[in-house]
Amino acid sequence: MRTLLKNGTVVSESDCVKADVLIEDGIIKEVSSSIDAPDAELNDVGGKLLLPGAIDAHTHMDLDVGFTRACDDFYSGTVAAACGGTTTIIDHMAFAPKGAYPWHQVKEYHSLSDGNAVIDYSFHGVLQEKADQRTFSEIREIAENEGITSFKLYLTYDMMLHDKDVFAVLNEAKRSNILITVHCENDGIINYLRDRCGVENNLTAAFHPKSRPAEAEAEAVNRMLYMAECADEAPLYIVHLSSEAGLKEVLAARKRGQKHFGVETCPQYLVLDDSLYDDPREGLKAIMSPPLRKDSDRTALWDALKNDVLDTVATDHCPFTFENQKQRGKDDFRLCPNGAPGVEERLPLLFSEGYVKGRITLPQCVKYLCVNPAKIFGLYPKKGVIKPGSDADIVIIDPEKKRTIRSASLHGNADYSCYEGMEIKGVIDTVFLRGEVIVKDNDFLGKKGNGRYLKRGISSLCL
Ligand SMILES: [Zn+2]
């Protein structure tokens, strides 16, 4: 089957070019100034922008947090992603039961996602509690057989790794070309402050950001960067950077000449701030880790995107229902499940708040949402770019159209959006996954189970 997209503007990480795009059997066949293909289905996209299908390298579909699960599974969550212009996710696995080794969650995650996902998908493995020889032999095997070439570790939470194990992991990662992704917050600071909140009866949502200060992030970012440097520059990827203090540590490492690391931020840290916690009830909606920060942090992160200091924008999509699940924290924020929805809002937010408002360029949007995640997570050039030979994952955007974000017209299972009422300029018209229309005018047209599992290659950060 052939489809011809005529008269659109194709956006890459370097420019915006008027071009026709010919799709054949799910693959991009040709991109050039004028294509004639009488047998192809013709789609005039004059006046519209063509972006590569976006990649969200940080989601938590069906996440098991012990007392409940994230309210989007791999079906509803990927439907929402698709409607937001995302055609690939790389999901972060939940912690396995205590004592489990890495293969455990690989099997578990296939059983959660296979046959359910509507867009293409992969996973980051998870490292927990300890790092011994069996852990290392399993992660090498998983990278080889499953194409899971990135593993996540945490510097906080019960299943965190302590520094000696973190350093052992980094050394192993360097040897085996595996990318280590890391949640950076100082566990000691957080636990002390959370305990003190309990003692002093400071338990409303407003104390959530106070118990996880920016310095706790900055310290952990600094420590991880130095540990990676000390492990002969082991490849490292810092997830969800939220603060200016953390950013300063990133800049310091770049200045030292450290190269083999990437840094992600998320729309919530660019668009929202900690005033959302002022209302004790509404504040529960934004309980996530790290927490929302100050206006000055937002400005610093936008500047970092503008100056190419950061590498990707992902979501950390981890939704819980407000009316039910989030209410667990109504008398004590520490009991509230951490996380918020966002997989559907990401591309429209970066387009509207970033490009339309002049904070970043359109090619930068494509770099942060498509090209860099594809390169860093071993999917390039199959994904992340519109050029011959790549998968025909394409998002068509009407740049002049406006829309107001309403939870009721989003597709995930959460009953709220942190961006409710925000006006967006630039509306998604059509989304193609491997040449098939899966979204048109905010209607999902794809099929359950049509997402394909992606075996990934080596990260560009290992090279
Ligand atoms: Zn996360």
Side-chain angles (χ1 to χ4, degrees):
M1 196 186 110
R2 280 150 69 95
T3 307
L4 179 60
L5 306 178
K6 226 167 160 47
N7 305 319
T9 297
V10 174
V11 188
S12 71
E13 65 177 321
S14 52
D15 49 27
C16 307
V17 177
K18 275 204 179 335
D20 296 347
V21 177
L22 182 64
I23 300 169
E24 187 178 286
D25 298 329
I27 303 288
I28 293 166
K29 179 81 177 164
E30 189 182 347
V31 182
S32 64
S33 57
S34 184
I35 301 174
D36 270 324
D39 59 325
E41 187 181 313
L42 183 71
N43 192 340
D44 190 336
V45 290
K48 296 189 178 122
L49 301 169
L50 274 57
L51 274 60
I55 298 165
D56 193 339
H58 192 163
T59 61
H60 294 281
M61 304 306 175
D62 219 343
L63 184 83
D64 180 357
V65 294
F67 55 86
T68 190
R69 302 184 80 94
C71 65
D72 275 328
D73 59 17
F74 276 86
Y75 175 69
S76 67
T78 55
V79 169
C83 292
T86 292
T87 49
T88 299
I89 57 165
I90 310 171
D91 200 78
H92 282 278
M93 293 173 177
F95 289 123
K98 249 187 160 35
Y101 277 87
W103 267 115
H104 181 282
Q105 285 307 72
V106 175
K107 289 170 187 157
E108 170 72 10
Y109 269 69
H110 274 298
S111 77
L112 295 174
S113 58
D114 296 352
N116 285 322
V118 306
I119 57 173
D120 292 352
Y121 62 100
S122 178
F123 317 120
H124 303 280
V126 64
L127 300 170
Q128 62 187 61
E129 301 164 84
K130 63 189 175 303
D132 54 17
Q133 285 313 312
R134 179 171 164 192
T135 307
F136 295 150
S137 76
E138 288 200 8
I139 66 176
R140 284 193 297 265
E141 233 175 68
I142 290 166
E144 176 84 22
N145 301 344
E146 286 283 327
I148 296 177
T149 50
S150 54
F151 284 78
K152 169 114 169 257
L153 61 85
Y154 294 77
L155 298 181
T156 186
Y157 301 124
D158 288 350
M159 302 275 219
M160 67 183 271
L161 293 190
H162 291 274
D163 286 355
K164 186 181 174 196
D165 285 327
V166 171
F167 194 58
V169 164
L170 288 167
N171 279 279
E172 173 61 29
K174 173 73 186 178
R175 276 193 293 274
S176 309
N177 281 325
I178 283 166
L179 177 64
I180 298 304
T181 75
V182 58
H183 176 128
C184 290
E185 286 186 290
N186 179 298
D187 186 65
I189 294 176
I190 293 167
N191 277 315
Y192 173 82
L193 292 174
R194 280 164 70 89
D195 286 351
R196 202 164 79 183
C197 284
V199 170
E200 296 175 353
N201 205 29
N202 292 327
L203 297 173
T204 58
F207 290 92
H208 173 64
K210 293 188 171 72
S211 71
R212 307 185 91 99
E215 292 82 354
E217 179 176 77
E219 184 283 324
V221 166
N222 173 279
R223 179 164 29 118
M224 262 330 281
L225 284 166
Y226 269 117
M227 286 172 90
E229 197 175 320
C230 192
D232 196 19
E233 271 214 35
L236 184 71
Y237 178 88
I238 295 167
V239 300
H240 54 46
L241 188 85
S242 66
S243 67
E244 184 177 16
L247 178 63
K248 281 182 177 160
E249 301 302 332
V250 169
L251 285 164
R254 298 240 193 260
K255 209 169 168 188
R256 292 197 294 276
Q258 195 169 341
K259 286 190 183 68
H260 299 269
F261 72 96
V263 185
E264 163 195 297
T265 189
C266 310
Q268 57 270 32
Y269 305 118
L270 295 163
V271 175
L272 307 173
D273 67 43
D274 66 0
S275 62
L276 261 66
Y277 300 116
D278 292 349
D279 181 325
R281 186 175 144 80
E282 288 289 305
L284 296 175
K285 290 179 178 174
I287 290 204
M288 58 181 84
S289 298
L292 301 175
R293 307 293 188 186
K294 305 283 180 202
D295 189 45
S296 52
D297 293 286
R298 287 195 300 200
T299 308
L301 291 173
W302 277 120
D303 284 348
L305 287 178
K306 189 186 180 79
N307 297 324
D308 300 304
V309 173
L310 301 178
D311 298 277
T312 63
V313 177
T315 62
D316 201 6
H317 178 79
C318 186
F320 299 96
T321 60
F322 177 59
E323 288 302 336
N324 185 4
Q325 292 171 299
K326 283 282 189 183
Q327 296 309 316
R328 189 170 189 264
K330 70 179 171 31
D331 299 318
D332 183 345
F333 76 86
R334 299 174 300 175
L335 302 178
C336 185
N338 271 237
V343 77
E344 190 168 352
E345 296 99 314
R346 180 183 65 143
L347 186 155
L349 281 171
L350 205 68
F351 187 93
S352 186
E353 289 292 306
Y355 161 61
V356 174
K357 293 199 171 167
R359 292 174 170 126
I360 56 172
T361 66
L362 195 48
Q364 282 179 317
C365 284
V366 165
K367 188 173 81 158
Y368 295 127
L369 299 175
C370 316
V371 182
N372 280 358
K375 288 181 175 171
I376 289 173
F377 295 106
L379 292 169
Y380 191 86
K382 180 180 171 68
K383 302 291 188 187
V385 62
I386 299 176
K387 72 173 188 186
S390 298
D391 281 0
D393 299 346
I394 299 174
V395 185
I396 299 175
I397 295 178
D398 184 336
E400 296 306 320
K401 225 171 159 174
K402 290 180 179 168
R403 180 184 168 195
T404 303
I405 296 180
R406 298 280 177 219
S407 162
S409 55
L410 297 175
H411 296 76
N413 284 342
D415 52 357
Y416 74 97
S417 167
C418 289
Y419 311 97
E420 184 75 25
M422 189 175 283
E423 186 165 291
I424 292 293
K425 189 173 175 197
V427 169
I428 293 170
D429 182 289
T430 310
V431 179
F432 288 87
L433 172 70
R434 288 180 266 102
E436 272 182 47
V437 174
I438 57 166
V439 177
K440 178 77 187 160
D441 295 330
N442 205 35
D443 285 332
F444 175 69
L445 305 175
K447 272 199 207 91
K448 190 172 184 169
N450 268 9
R452 285 188 192 157
Y453 177 71
L454 299 169
K455 289 189 177 184
R456 297 184 283 115
I458 288 173
S459 168
S460 59
L461 296 171
C462 295
L463 305 175

